[in-house]
Amino acid sequence: MSLLERVRPNRPQTPPDEVDAWWQPAVSGALTAAGSWLVLALPALLVWVFTEHTTVGWGEAMGVASAGWFLAHGAPVSVGATSVSVAPLGLTFVILAVTVHGLRRLLDRTEAQVRGTRWPLLLVRRLVPGFLTGYAVFALAAWLVTLASPARPSPAGVLVTLAAPLLATAWCLVRRHTAGEESGPVGRWVDSLPRWLVRGVGPGLWGAAALLGLGTVLVLGMVAARASTVAGLYTAVGAGLFGGVVLTLGQLVLLPNLALWALSWLAGPGFSIADGSSVTLAGAHPGLLPMVPVLGALPAEGTWSRWLLLVLALPVAVGALVARRSCRTMARLASWRSRMATAAWAGATSGIVTGMLVALSNGSAGVERLRH
């Protein structure tokens, strides 16, 4: 026995069966879902309080906020005969961040009490299933709240919301594995994969983030260049001080969507805000657009020089950086086949992640011209 062991008081170890009762992970999952729901519910409640002569009840306001919570998870929302399926990706990222934080706290707190061979078993049988169950129970309660408003997701939207905790679980366990911590069967599954497959994921995610950042820079640059038009639309809307703040926050949660549309322009295909409008490298034909101030950053009607096709080199340059970063994760004496496989998978990962985000950022935003 060392000197430190003689001085340090003996702390009784908590038996594994007494740590985190079956309901505690479920409560953690429900509270985590409630935390992300409050990001929408609190602003909706403030708008209801500070809006004069409103005919909308607070229950209806909470229902609309709950519908927005489902929409941020990727679940389509129906407003009468209208379907809205464009997910505000800014809120989606917030939900994922809150869910990762809540799950990480649950795992760290439990592992600090339970160590040894029982920890992986507890992870599989109690923690993750309980967390998912709590999240699903809160999602069901949020769906019931939407019944008080005209904006309602389908009952299947409750299952769609589970994509967020599932992604958070995979992220947390893989991160624990890379940090040398116990991650249960996920760690063993990662170890069984080919090394080039594992090495390409990190650079691929970096590439997707770089492409999103590239689109964000373009959006911010266009907003700055056409600031007078954007300001004119704010004046035309006449939302007032408080309404203007809410309108700005609503546009900020759509910033990742706008960045992906700008990225589509940089990559060549372009994008369309409404039926009959198009913005490509050949020219801009925005047409009649809704009164959303940030859309004033769209270029005016006209055709452009073919020299603008040089911007196609920007996404290609990001791909070259992804390949370079993927090769730097390997030993200098690695074979060229391993390097090619790692770089190819890194590029594929960037494409898959970006494609999934693009799919969420597209869809219906209303009726008639905004239906597609």
Side-chain angles (χ1 to χ4, degrees):
M1 181 179 294
S2 65
L3 179 61
L4 290 177
E5 289 175 339
R6 293 175 184 270
V7 176
R8 186 186 298 118
N10 292 327
R11 297 181 180 179
Q13 296 293 327
T14 306
D17 294 335
E18 298 179 8
V19 176
D20 272 349
W22 64 269
W23 53 268
Q24 290 177 334
V27 170
S28 179
L31 291 177
T32 299
S36 61
W37 176 80
L38 285 174
V39 174
L40 280 168
L42 289 180
L45 187 60
L46 289 175
V47 171
W48 177 78
V49 170
F50 287 100
T51 301
E52 298 180 357
H53 309 296
T54 179
T55 58
V56 177
W58 70 270
E60 187 173 350
M62 292 298 96
V64 172
S66 299
W69 187 74
F70 279 92
L71 188 63
H73 281 82
V77 173
S78 298
V79 185
T82 304
S83 177
V84 178
S85 57
V86 177
L89 292 183
L91 288 176
T92 303
F93 293 155
V94 170
I95 289 173
L96 289 174
V98 172
T99 308
V100 166
H101 177 72
L103 183 59
R104 184 180 297 171
R105 288 190 60 185
L106 173 66
L107 298 179
D108 293 343
R109 183 182 70 246
T110 307
E111 190 184 22
Q113 299 172 340
V114 178
R115 298 182 181 276
T117 57
R118 294 298 300 274
W119 164 244
L121 192 63
L122 189 69
L123 181 69
V124 173
R125 291 187 177 181
R126 190 179 300 176
L127 295 182
V128 173
F131 189 87
L132 294 175
T133 300
Y135 203 100
V137 169
F138 182 86
L140 179 60
W143 181 82
L144 293 175
V145 173
T146 63
L147 298 179
S149 73
R152 300 176 184 176
S154 67
V158 176
L159 297 178
V160 176
T161 60
L162 292 181
L166 286 172
L167 285 174
T169 300
W171 176 265
C172 288
L173 293 181
V174 171
R175 293 284 293 179
R176 288 177 62 88
H177 177 70
T178 56
E181 301 174 355
E182 178 59 54
S183 57
V186 172
R188 295 189 293 271
W189 176 74
V190 171
D191 289 336
S192 66
L193 295 175
R195 299 310 303 166
W196 59 266
L197 197 66
V198 177
R199 290 192 183 101
V201 173
L205 293 176
W206 178 90
L211 290 172
L212 187 60
L214 194 63
T216 302
V217 169
L218 179 58
V219 170
L220 296 179
M222 289 299 298
V223 170
R226 297 179 60 83
S228 60
T229 304
V230 175
L233 288 175
Y234 265 102
T235 303
V237 170
L241 178 60
F242 183 75
V245 171
V246 174
L247 181 60
T248 302
L249 292 177
Q251 293 173 104
L252 283 176
V253 300
L254 289 173
L255 180 58
N257 298 64
L258 302 175
L260 287 168
W261 300 345
L263 178 62
S264 180
W265 179 81
L266 285 173
F271 62 92
S272 173
I273 298 294
D275 286 345
S277 70
S278 65
V279 181
T280 65
L281 291 177
H285 307 283
L288 185 62
L289 298 175
M291 292 287 288
V292 179
V294 72
L295 296 183
L298 288 173
E301 181 86 16
T303 57
W304 299 324
S305 170
R306 292 186 178 181
W307 288 102
L308 198 60
L309 294 175
L310 293 176
V311 300
L312 292 171
L314 293 177
V316 177
V318 173
L321 291 176
V322 169
R324 179 179 176 82
R325 289 177 67 93
S326 64
C327 291
R328 290 178 63 181
T329 63
M330 307 181 66
R332 297 182 63 181
L333 299 179
S335 66
W336 67 269
R337 292 184 179 87
S338 298
R339 292 177 182 272
M340 288 291 293
T342 303
W345 176 241
T349 301
S350 296
I352 292 172
V353 173
T354 306
M356 292 174 61
L357 293 176
V358 167
L360 285 174
S361 69
N362 290 341
S364 173
V367 295
E368 297 179 356
R369 298 182 67 252
L370 295 179
R371 187 175 301 169
H372 305 290

